[in-house]
Amino acid sequence: MVDAANIFEELEHFDGFYSDKELKEFSKTVTEKFEETKKNLERSIEKVKNTSAEASGDTSHSLHMADQGTDAMEREKAFLFAQRDEKYLIQIEKAQERIKAGTFGICKSCGVKIKPARLHAVPTTTICIKCKSAKVQRSEEHRRTPVTWPSRMP
């Protein structure tokens, strides 16, 4: 089995792990985000259930078509929010696993400690701002690269 800590130590700019005290502080932030997201998810699920029940009730046939369209759109929006929150909860759980392993806050690309302000703002991040910026720039450059098509002319 490969030890995650050893993988980080092999990175070029690895500058150590956060202390147990620092990890405990980050754990509070991650737990708060988890609880907040869980409440949002529960509200979204409740909204989906309520709007679905209203749509299938006896009163739905008496609603104007525009009202039915609005209700369908609200259900869809609540469903999309619920999906987004479910995905975010998975990311938060992975952050909690990294805290337990002691690898939380270490950039997986370059090995530096991610700045605490970034970790508190985006506790699910796994890369530092420098690596994230480089990644965004590469993807923008890739999109701007013109496609050249072969000519059919001899």
Side-chain angles (χ1 to χ4, degrees):
M1 187 168 112
V2 177
D3 184 17
N6 290 338
I7 292 170
F8 284 110
E9 290 170 356
E10 292 176 8
L11 292 172
E12 182 180 348
H13 300 289
F14 178 73
D15 59 353
F17 296 103
Y18 278 104
S19 70
D20 288 342
K21 182 181 177 186
E22 291 167 314
L23 289 173
K24 196 174 211 176
E25 186 63 35
F26 292 130
S27 181
K28 288 179 190 175
T29 300
V30 170
T31 301
E32 288 170 5
K33 291 282 188 184
F34 183 85
E35 293 302 322
E36 178 185 332
T37 305
K38 191 174 174 184
K39 286 178 186 174
N40 289 340
L41 176 60
E42 290 168 357
R43 280 192 294 263
S44 294
I45 291 171
E46 191 62 33
K47 192 169 187 174
V48 168
K49 286 179 183 177
N50 289 341
T51 56
S52 294
E54 290 171 7
S56 65
D58 291 333
T59 60
S60 68
H61 64 76
S62 64
L63 289 177
H64 189 273
M65 269 196 334
D67 291 334
Q68 290 175 344
T70 300
D71 290 345
M73 204 152 122
E74 286 299 316
R75 273 192 310 280
E76 181 69 19
K77 189 167 66 171
F79 181 72
L80 291 173
F81 285 146
Q83 282 184 318
R84 179 198 63 190
D85 289 340
E86 284 178 337
K87 289 176 185 176
Y88 191 57
L89 284 176
I90 292 169
Q91 291 176 340
I92 292 172
E93 287 171 349
K94 289 179 181 178
Q96 290 171 328
E97 290 170 8
R98 290 191 303 275
I99 289 171
K100 288 177 186 168
T103 60
F104 180 83
I106 307 302
C107 177
K108 70 179 184 179
S109 295
C110 70
V112 301
K113 286 183 183 175
I114 300 170
K115 297 204 181 300
R118 176 163 168 75
L119 291 171
H120 285 293
V122 187
T124 57
T125 190
T126 58
I127 58 176
C128 68
I129 197 73
K130 184 178 177 183
C131 290
K132 177 68 174 181
S133 296
K135 183 178 177 183
V136 168
Q137 186 176 7
R138 281 191 307 272
S139 73
E140 286 175 359
E141 287 172 359
H142 178 71
R143 278 194 310 234
R144 284 184 271 182
T145 305
V147 176
T148 55
W149 299 96
S151 174
R152 292 183 155 219
M153 300 220 154

